[in-house]
Structure formats: C-alpha cells, structure tokens
Amino acid sequence: MTATPAIDGWFTTGPDPALLGSRCTMCGTVFFPQKVGFCANPACAGEEFEETELSRRGTVWSYTDAQYQPPAPYVAPEPFVPFALAAVELPEGLVVLGQVAQGYGVADLHVGAEVELVVEPEHASEQLIWRWKPVVEMGEEADQ
C-alpha cells in the first residue's frame, strides 16, 4: 500500500516536499492552508487565488514539547512518547506550526535556527504528515 498524505492538498510528497498555500491574485498575500472564497487581508477585496508552493526552509520562531498525551482524536503511541512542536517563520511571512522530525527534540532547537520541511509517516498509520527537521550546516555536529 502506498502512503498518502493525512490531509490531501496541504503538501506535496517526493524528494523535495512543500506546503501548498494560496496567493491572492489581487494583492499577492500568501495564505496557508489554501484559501478559498475571500482574501483574509482586510485591505483587499480579492476573491481569486492561485496555488503556490511555500518555501521548504524557514527559521524557528518558537518551540515547545508535548509532555502530555493530546486528547482524542489524536492517536498516541503506547506508551506515549513526548514530541516537539515548532512554529516556523517562512520567507513568505507566514508562521506554520508542525511537529519536529522524528529523532529530534527541543534540545535540537533554538529561536532563529534553520529548519527544513520533511514528510514522514504518522506513527499511528501509514499516512504522511509534514514535520520540521533542523538543518545541520557543514562543520556542525549532529546529535542524531
């Protein structure tokens, strides 16, 4: 069975995955997830949007860890394993929240650190989700 995205139309898969947003054709404002209906920019009356791939790299704006098991409908592994979350600022000006890649935690993050979008299987199914992976520059040691 081929793994499929947990939320269809929110991101691409493959060697260079990307989040899929919308760009207002009237004012150029970018949104994620994709926007339909009306532009969320209060100064714009735009109603037409084009799909746009967002930047794959961004910087950590904030981060935390989930030390508690989220409530249903989240399906936690047994036993529950804490995981890190990162709010990542993209060059487009958006801040997108997501889990941190498998094998990484809050000790691997700091505000301003560069991260890259990756797609990994969700632990409870074969569905794919996006996560943020810390970028290790040449000369830096990776803890992983």
Side-chain angles (χ1 to χ4, degrees):
M1 180 170 133
T2 303
T4 59
I7 303 175
D8 197 33
W10 280 33
F11 58 93
T12 65
T13 59
D16 295 317
L19 296 174
L20 296 173
S22 294
R23 180 182 316 276
C24 176
T25 58
M26 184 175 256
C27 71
T29 301
V30 177
F31 305 93
F32 176 81
Q34 293 188 41
K35 186 78 176 156
V36 294
F38 62 92
C39 183
N41 176 351
C44 179
E47 296 180 348
E48 293 183 19
F49 308 92
E50 57 189 17
E51 182 177 275
T52 184
E53 286 191 6
L54 303 180
S55 300
R56 296 190 63 235
R57 287 189 175 201
T59 56
V60 174
W61 184 78
S62 184
Y63 62 94
T64 191
D65 59 351
Q67 289 291 323
Y68 63 92
Q69 182 173 326
Y74 181 80
V75 179
E78 287 294 333
F80 173 71
V81 177
F83 55 90
L85 297 165
V88 175
E89 185 170 19
L90 300 177
E92 292 85 355
L94 303 171
V95 176
V96 179
L97 183 67
Q99 289 186 17
V100 175
Q102 294 175 4
Y104 296 90
V106 294
D108 303 302
L109 302 172
H110 64 271
V111 171
E114 188 175 15
V115 292
E116 181 175 46
L117 185 90
V118 295
V119 171
E120 298 178 331
E122 196 269 335
H123 71 271
S125 71
E126 289 301 311
Q127 291 185 314
L128 301 173
I129 61 174
W130 82 82
R131 290 188 170 130
W132 298 111
K133 181 180 177 182
V135 173
V136 179
E137 299 297 334
M138 296 297 289
E140 290 184 22
E141 279 194 35
D143 292 336
Q144 312 308 314

